[in-house]
């Protein structure tokens, strides 16, 4: 029985559930110093002076670092560049030099013998700032970049349209807020100037390269260890100013330096996301056929371009047409700098935003056209026969080629499942009982499996234990379990015999990291190929030992045996020992070890898809939205571990509920953030999260990877705003539209009162 | 200009001279526990009981481990086995169970929160021991193994001899006593059961395997980091009981465990060496031709067979004929267990012992035959035309094949150099002034470059920095410098751009370690081949970038350029970037990275050789021996770094002076060690060590490795006992012989008084 497709228990759980996980803050090094970042208290101003004299004299302070101590003006480069877009002047400096641009911007670092002394001394750093006018929304900001994507003749499409539907929709500023704030420990080797960096779970190899380049040392002198992390969701593990500052201080003091941010810092320092203003319009023929789509988007990027550059705006535009047949499309986006925390990706970046806007528009159109919203979608979804479908656009450096799918089938299945589960009946009954309930349906297209490559090493030890060094990192998604199953399947061993070690740049120097729902697809592809290569090698060496032809051998359950003669066998452990240097079984010059490294490359992404159905009830008194029922239907190509796919989807819904209903980074007119504690930044709790029904289908395996897998990391979130907005709109009655997320009680009350949402 | 052959400054020195080296005891881990070994206070007895009750209750004690806590009876396996010799019953247990067999044998381990509490509590462990009779010399001990080596018809040789010379000679018990006692830190990962082991500098990969097997876990879960070490000399870094005990405790407590031995422990716990009783006889023809040689040796191995098994006895016999033409040879050795600290190798194992005996015998024979001692040697040395010369014996698992050499040439050169430096004149003048001076000459044969293999990884980072992960370890011998030079030469870069990282089992899992003077020969061979492979690969990729044929390119000074068109060039850094995954210059499936791993295998050892000349003066009142002049002449094949060769030879002489004149582990008749501090174990100081003249020749490069190198690690010591004994004999006058090392003042006084030495 193959390990793939089984819901094996997570390899990660024993350590995490027993308190033996190792998070950044668990780590201590003797003699470590503690860093505290001094952050700008104003949103925009000229930094006249940074007076560190009192801080330097404070007890326990070892050093206070300001921009003046750094010879150049180090700025954090963009990880995901978009060709032809120049962002250099908007990159974030590691410390503000002449100007501060958002509340929370790093201005100085205090290094002290303990974290409390560091925090006390940080308050003694005196900043002299001449206030400048602030830009707090996209209309008032500076345009850093502006670009269009699209295809077809939208003018003609709109000219011939029978119906044109238009919508203005704002998505609010929110972000991932993982359970664990960031933490870093950098330990220098005084002898060699080498640095061991603990933290940075997401793209450790990339970050190692950035750090090496910014510190001007060879990357091999830096070893990054990704740690266990309390979730990533896109925001954690990118290269932030602190990643440079802590490493610089360790290198220059020769002592270990530790930094752990508190929640208030986290909420102003880590990437924000999502905030966009959309004007979208669609042209329909009389029969409901979608003829064209136009979108005009303003993306409020905060004060700087960080590592994601303008990839979220690009993804917004590239993914906005979704799974529909769109003959003509024109999307334009302005990336605007404002005096807020800079932005980056957050799980389903660009898709959460685009999907809510598009799907709300489709519900409005259904009303205008007088057709059922599901029918309108059904009519416009691409049919399986139309796939693969190339859209003449590219995003993340790859052409948009929608691969094997059955969008209508998935939608039908989702609706049928919701009916079977009583969603529709419940709505009717509740309405009959006088309750304000609504049902929303939203389709979405996801992307996953971003390349260009991932590398994996699979090796068998002399005890027969199998070890995998993959390029992904363990962010809670279960990558160790999934890659273990893939290895077990490819090699012919039990998944229990496989240990997956991720995120150590010394052990896997070519890792591309865990993001963009790529770990199973691309990371898994590499692991699969490496496991097959080890299998082949094991059989080759076993053939020497058993004195039979390679073709006569099979490998299963950790044993190579002669077909039809099961007594003639060697264990993988024996084969591994026969591969040790000095073994008589090795040929001269033949590489030792029972191991293989393989690189798996993909030209395109693979596009999973799905539908969300939500039933909500509005409280007319408070404006509160209660989510009564929730279904995610999702096509995953092939589920390596079905239970983990379910977990990913349910977790995504939880975050989606937050973004749709409550989470928002507010600012006052002077640029002071209004949500710097959990009293103001309203994360959903277990009370707000519904039971989630999940329907995972495996009807459209990807042809681009040997497993057929499509990523599962984001689809639980992608259409959550859309389904909930559609459900709320449905509950409100069919006039107008929801025009803004989050749908907070105050906004819902306003909508109930007939004001714009 | 090639880097090979230059006396470049040592790469190791900046860190070591600035106090930035990292020794085991420098390392601390939060929450670490400290181990203290409870050692047997008696030399032989039945261990009736080990009462830990008081120790367990002592302040700060976390655990007390005794043999009863270990389910089986773990014993440390032999690293260097000799076929056909079974030693299992004599292997050392990690903790004494029923019997104690030497003073210092581990009986229990106390684990406490600090090292002082651990030491206090260790004194509370009550041992009930029924004393047994002790065997304190080889005549009284148990024979663990007995074997013969030899060739030719010795009976016939002795029958036809004109002269037979016979000598009884004892070599005393001494050992390396490196500057730094052993230290270990083992850090467990509670999540995975993995262990990070810091220490064990010598054979980390082998030790990892032993530890994995004894703990019954996969070897990949153990990562050994060799640390800087205050010298190794063979004794340090072997697998000792403490290596198991500390790791076992870390694994079973889940906390880091540290152990650092004190000097008193070190002197009874670390391998002793050298102690042998020899009866040797030689048959000569009338013309001084050596016809045959017989040796009968008793090797006092102490209480157990440790990791070296019986390799020192084997080497004693195999190397005893030296560089001479010996038509018939028969050596017999008895390996005897006594109630002393067990033995292992110490720099020049077996050769120091055999050389002093053989060379003393030759001086005696010269007297008997009435010829000059140098002339007698000259007459019997193998001539270059007789080489390679196979002796039908094997040692260390390889056949004895003496490779290219010019023994007579070296001896002539050494004597000429000593004359040039005024040695002979000084002796004459001193004698004329009434002083008791003597000159001793000794020839020796060394072995080096033991295989069967070594593995090396060479890689180029994207900054152009070159990194080497070799299988050797850095014990003070300058391996990082030498391998850096070899890499620079092979690859075509400056040695300054090369960093050599040794002794990390995760980075180089196939390393065979640093011992047996193998690092330059076998390790260097692997590095050389890996560097050439990287060079070839760099040229291959550069050819794509430059769009020229591979044959048109050269690589030097870190740049690949077109021959005759020096403007057309790419740097190694650019080539390394072109080899990154995702690069357009890489073909599909082609391994990424600018790197190569190569294994270098050798079938035979290579045999360096040399001569020592010593001038001594005896103090007739005290019996003190003052070394006035000292010359080492040494054939190294090829000196990668001549200054390091000089350093090796001079350091060897220093240790040789100690072993020849003062160092000795004495025991009383009950088995109590008499030398457990430096008050009793007399290391030579700078006052006792002469200026050493060094003559390094490169006349006989080895044909078995691409560098032509012969090892240089031991030859400074090999003939030191021999030259000094011959010099003392010469000073005493030509009656009789020296019969024992060390030649302590008391023994010299006795010899001056006409008693046996």
């Amino acid at each position: 029985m193959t390990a793939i497709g089984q819901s094996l228990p997570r390899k990660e759980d024993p350590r995490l559930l027993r308190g033996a996980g190792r998070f950044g803050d668990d780590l201590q090094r003797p003699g470590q110093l503690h860093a505290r970042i001094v952050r700008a208290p104003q949103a925009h101003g000229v930094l006249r002076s940074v007076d560190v004299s009192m801080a330097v004299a404070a007890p326990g302070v070892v050093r206070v670092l300001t921009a003046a101590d750094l010879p150049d003006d180090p700025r954090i480069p963009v990880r995901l560049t978009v060709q032809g877009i120049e962002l250099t002047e908007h990159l974030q400096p590691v410390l503000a030099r002449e100007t501060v641009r958002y509340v929370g911007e790093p201005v100085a670092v205090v290094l002290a013998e303990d974290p409390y002394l560091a925090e006390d001394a940080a308050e003694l750093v005196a900043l002299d700032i001449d206030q400048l006018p602030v830009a707090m929304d996209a209309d008032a900001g500076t345009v850093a970049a502006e670009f269009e994507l699209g295809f077809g003749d939208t003018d003609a499409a709109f000219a011939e349209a029978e119906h044109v539907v238009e919508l203005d929709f704002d998505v609010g500023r929110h972000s991932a807020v993982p359970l664990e704030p960031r933490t870093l420990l950098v330990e220098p080797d005084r002898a060699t100037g080498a640095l061991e960096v603990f933290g940075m779970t997401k793209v450790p190899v990339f970050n190692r390269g950035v750090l090496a380049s910014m510190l001007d040392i060879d990357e091999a002198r830096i070893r990054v260890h990704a740690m266990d992390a309390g979730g990533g969701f896109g925001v954690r593990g990118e290269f932030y100013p602190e990643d440079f500052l802590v490493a610089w201080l360790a290198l220059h003091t020769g002592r270990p330096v530790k930094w752990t941010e508190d929640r208030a810092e986290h909420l102003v320092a880590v990437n924000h996301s999502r905030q966009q203003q959309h004007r979208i319009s669609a042209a329909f023929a009389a029969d409901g056929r979608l003829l064209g789509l136009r979108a005009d988007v303003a993306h409020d990027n905060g004060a700087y371009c960080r590592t994601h550059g303008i990839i979220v705006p690009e993804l917004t535009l590239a993914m906005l047409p979704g799974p529909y047949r769109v003959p003509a499309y024109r999307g334009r986006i302005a990336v605007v700098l404002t005096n807020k925390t800079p932005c980056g990706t957050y799980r389903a970046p660009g898709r959460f935003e685009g999907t809510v806007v598009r799907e709300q528009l489709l519900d409005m159109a259904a009303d205008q056209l007088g057709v059922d919203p599901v029918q309108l979608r059904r009519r416009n979804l691409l049919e399986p026969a139309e796939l693969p479908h190339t859209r003449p656009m590219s995003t993340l450096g790859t052409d948009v080629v929608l691969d094997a799918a059955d969008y209508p089938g998935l939608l039908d299945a989702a609706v049928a499942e919701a009916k079977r589960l009583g969603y529709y009946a419940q709505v009717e009954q509740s309405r009959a009982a006088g309750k304000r309930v609504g049902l929303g349906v939203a389709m979405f297209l996801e992307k996953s499996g971003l390349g260009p490559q991932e590398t994996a090493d699979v090796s068998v030890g002399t005890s027969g234990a199998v070890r995998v060094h993959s390029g992904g990192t363990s962010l809670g998604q279960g990558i160790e379990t999934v890659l273990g199953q893939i290895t077990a399947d490819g090699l012919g061993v039990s998944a229990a015999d496989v240990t997956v070690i991720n995120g150590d740049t010394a052990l896997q120097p070519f890792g591309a990291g865990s993001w963009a729902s790529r770990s199973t697809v691309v990371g898994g592809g590499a692991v699969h190929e490496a496991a097959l290569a080890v299998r082949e090698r094991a059989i080759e060496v076993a053939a020497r030992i058993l004195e039979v032809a390679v073709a006569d051998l099979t490998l299963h359950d950790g044993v190579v045996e002669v077909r039809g003669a099961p007594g003639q066998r060697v264990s993988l452990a024996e084969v591994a020992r026969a591969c040790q240097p000095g073994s008589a079984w090795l040929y001269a010059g033949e590489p030792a070890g029972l191991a293989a490294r393989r690189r798996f490359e993909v030209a395109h992404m693979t596009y999973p898809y799905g539908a969300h159905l939500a039933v909500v009830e509005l409280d007319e008194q408070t404006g509160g939205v209660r989510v009564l029922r929730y279904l995610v239907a999702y096509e995953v190509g092939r589920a390596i571990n079905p239970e983990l796919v379910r977990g990913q989807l349910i977790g995504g819904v939880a975050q989606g509920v937050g973004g749709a209903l409550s989470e928002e980074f507010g600012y006052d007119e002077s640029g002071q953030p209004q949500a710097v504690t959990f009293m103001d930044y309203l994360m959903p709790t277990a009370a707000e999260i519904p039971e989630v029904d999940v329907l995972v289908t495996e009807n459209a395996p990807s042809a681009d990877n040997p497993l057929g897998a499509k990523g599962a990391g984001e689809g639980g979130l992608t259409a959550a705003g859309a389904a909930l907005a559609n459900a709320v709109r449905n509950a409100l009655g069919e006039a107008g539209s929801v025009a803004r997320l989050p749908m907070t009680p105050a906004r819902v009350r306003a909508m109930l009162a007939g004001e714009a949402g």
Side-chain angles (χ1 to χ4, degrees), chain A:
Chain A
M1 189 174 64
T2 170
I4 288 184
Q6 293 188 55
S7 288
L8 298 181
R10 300 197 335 150
K11 281 184 184 290
E12 295 85 346
D13 285 342
R15 71 168 186 271
L16 296 174
L17 298 178
R18 289 174 189 156
R22 218 161 51 149
F23 297 86
D25 199 39
D26 294 335
L27 217 61
Q28 317 292 338
R29 284 289 181 263
Q32 71 193 9
L33 296 170
H34 297 265
R36 176 77 184 181
I37 313 293
V38 179
R39 298 180 183 279
Q42 293 177 34
H44 196 198
V46 176
L47 187 58
R48 290 270 169 234
S49 72
V50 182
D51 180 356
V52 303
S53 54
M54 283 179 64
V56 166
V61 170
V62 171
R63 178 149 193 174
V64 180
L65 176 72
T66 69
D69 301 315
L70 302 171
D72 348 290
D73 181 14
R75 285 171 183 252
I76 296 168
V78 168
R79 178 165 71 87
L80 299 166
T81 53
V82 173
Q83 227 178 358
I85 305 270
E86 177 54 45
L87 298 171
T88 307
E89 65 173 311
H90 306 302
L91 297 180
Q92 176 153 12
V94 295
L95 287 173
R97 190 168 291 262
E98 288 160 3
T99 312
V100 296
R101 291 192 169 84
Y102 65 96
V103 173
E105 179 168 5
V107 177
V109 191
V110 175
L111 202 58
E113 299 286 348
D114 92 31
Y116 307 102
L117 294 174
E119 189 166 350
D120 290 348
E123 291 180 9
L124 302 177
V125 174
L127 307 180
D128 181 5
I129 297 173
D130 279 2
Q131 211 164 318
L132 291 170
V134 297
M136 296 313 297
D137 67 59
D139 301 335
T142 307
V143 174
E146 198 163 7
F147 58 97
E148 282 193 5
L149 287 183
F151 47 84
D153 185 344
T154 46
D155 287 346
F158 278 82
E160 68 171 285
E162 192 74 19
H163 302 276
V164 170
V165 189
E166 195 171 83
L167 169 66
D168 284 346
F169 197 105
D170 288 1
V171 178
R173 192 177 199 81
H174 64 276
S175 194
V177 193
L179 199 59
E180 182 205 11
R182 294 172 297 162
T183 179
L184 272 175
L185 177 72
V186 181
E187 185 177 24
D189 182 335
R190 280 176 59 216
T192 60
L195 298 176
E196 301 241 8
V197 180
F198 298 87
M200 290 191 173
T201 307
K202 177 175 178 175
V203 285
V205 172
F206 180 85
N207 283 359
R208 181 186 64 153
V210 170
L211 188 55
S213 146
M214 292 179 75
L215 294 173
D216 196 21
I217 63 178
D218 186 62
E219 77 269 18
R221 277 165 65 196
I222 300 176
R223 179 169 178 199
V224 177
H225 305 254
M227 308 289 286
D228 277 323
F233 313 115
V235 306
R236 211 172 171 291
E238 288 291 330
F239 200 96
Y240 287 98
E242 295 86 353
D243 295 285
F244 171 84
L245 296 169
V246 174
W248 190 95
L249 285 165
L251 192 64
H252 288 264
T253 60
R255 289 176 62 177
V257 177
K258 186 168 179 180
W259 170 73
T260 301
E261 74 183 345
D262 61 31
R263 185 61 70 182
E265 281 186 287
H266 179 86
L267 292 173
V268 299
V270 166
N271 287 342
H272 287 181
S273 199
R274 302 280 198 240
Q275 189 166 27
Q276 290 185 162
Q277 300 168 3
H278 306 77
R279 167 158 293 180
I280 180 172
S281 51
F284 289 92
D287 60 359
R289 274 181 302 118
L290 184 59
L291 302 173
L293 196 60
R294 282 180 178 143
D296 201 347
V297 187
H299 177 91
D300 181 344
N301 199 59
Y304 295 104
C305 290
R306 282 185 170 174
T307 50
H308 293 108
I310 54 155
I311 210 68
V312 178
E314 189 198 63
L315 277 165
T316 301
L317 294 188
M319 297 294 289
L320 200 133
Y324 300 101
R325 191 183 307 105
V326 181
Y329 169 58
R330 192 65 46 192
R332 199 191 65 79
I333 198 160
V335 182
V336 184
L337 300 183
T338 57
N339 295 110
K340 304 181 194 170
T341 296
C343 288
T345 57
Y346 166 31
R347 201 174 186 183
R351 284 91 75 194
F352 178 88
E353 302 89 317
T355 300
V356 64
V357 177
R358 183 192 65 235
E359 295 295 311
Q360 180 79 188
L361 184 88
L362 287 176
D363 269 15
M364 290 170 64
D367 290 350
Q368 256 185 251
L369 275 69
V371 298
D372 175 76
V374 170
Q375 284 315 310
L376 182 67
R377 287 177 171 82
R378 195 81 180 62
R379 190 171 304 167
N380 287 293
L381 286 171
L382 288 160
E383 294 289 332
E386 296 174 87
L387 302 173
H389 175 70
T390 300
R391 287 186 171 142
M393 305 188 291
S394 88
T395 187
L396 287 164
T398 73
D399 294 337
V400 178
V401 183
L402 307 189
D403 58 341
D406 180 359
Y407 306 131
L410 188 285
L411 178 57
D412 291 350
V415 171
E417 179 73 357
K419 285 193 174 141
R420 192 183 70 78
L421 293 168
Y423 282 32
Y424 289 87
Q426 182 171 349
V427 169
E428 274 180 39
Q429 287 159 16
S430 296
R431 280 186 180 154
K435 292 182 176 165
R436 273 279 200 179
V437 297
L439 185 149
V441 177
M443 274 296 280
F444 68 98
L445 180 69
E446 253 302 336
K447 46 140 280 298
S448 74
L450 179 64
Q453 69 91 33
E454 190 52 276
T455 301
D457 292 15
V458 171
S459 62
V460 182
T462 55
S463 69
V466 179
R467 178 156 292 236
V468 178
H469 296 146
S470 128
T473 55
S474 185
L475 287 152
Q477 77 281 54
I479 184 173
E480 296 165 37
T481 307
V482 166
L483 297 185
Q485 290 179 247
I486 293 170
T487 304
D489 178 77
L491 179 48
V493 299
S494 158
D497 293 335
V498 182
T499 302
V500 178
I501 308 283
N502 289 316
D504 182 326
T505 59
L507 299 182
Q508 182 44 272
F510 298 130
S514 277
W515 49 287
S517 294
R518 63 189 305 285
S519 295
T520 301
V521 177
V522 194
V527 165
H528 175 76
E529 296 203 347
L532 289 183
V534 172
R535 177 193 190 94
E536 189 179 329
R537 170 91 179 126
I539 287 178
E540 185 186 332
V541 174
R544 298 176 200 167
I545 302 171
L546 295 170
E547 299 184 332
V548 295
V550 160
D552 293 339
L553 291 172
T554 68
L555 199 179
H556 58 85
D557 301 315
V559 171
V560 187
E561 70 183 19
V562 179
R563 282 179 223 275
Q568 270 184 274
R569 43 158 57 196
V570 279
S571 70
L572 264 185
E574 292 169 273
V575 176
R577 288 194 287 274
C579 292
Q580 287 295 296
S583 154
W585 299 108
L586 274 191
Y587 300 149
E590 193 176 31
L594 182 51
R597 167 172 291 177
R598 285 296 180 272
R599 184 169 78 247
F600 178 65
E601 292 176 310
V602 291
H604 300 295
M605 296 191 283
T606 176
Y607 293 82
Y609 53 92
H612 286 209
L613 278 90
V615 178
V616 301
E617 178 180 352
L618 311 187
D619 182 323
E620 301 197 357
Q621 300 302 310
T622 65
V625 177
R626 196 166 142 230
V627 186
L628 301 176
R629 308 297 299 268
Y630 207 101
L631 170 69
V632 180
Y634 192 73
E635 169 61 43
V636 75
R638 190 170 182 200
I640 309 301
N641 184 313
E643 196 56 30
L644 291 191
V645 175
R646 274 178 59 83
Q648 282 276 16
L649 295 173
I650 294 170
V653 171
Q655 293 188 302
V657 167
L661 300 181
S662 62
E663 294 179 43
E664 187 161 34
F665 289 115
Y667 284 85
D668 73 9
E669 65 283 355
S670 75
Q672 286 299 325
Q674 301 299 295
V676 296
T677 73
F678 286 152
M679 293 293 287
D680 299 301
Y681 188 81
L682 301 174
M683 305 283 290
T685 69
E688 281 81 45
I689 307 297
E691 287 287 312
V692 179
D693 300 308
V694 173
L695 175 67
V696 172
T697 63
E698 299 178 81
N699 297 326
S702 169
D704 294 333
N705 71 74
L707 305 164
K710 296 182 167 179
E714 303 173 88
L717 185 43
T718 318
L724 290 168
N726 286 1
V728 168
R729 180 177 181 275
N730 183 243
L732 287 168
E734 286 163 3
S737 71
V738 173
R740 173 158 199 166
L741 294 187
M743 300 174 290
T744 59
R747 290 187 189 129
V748 171
R749 272 218 315 281
M751 288 191 283
L752 282 163
E755 300 158 25

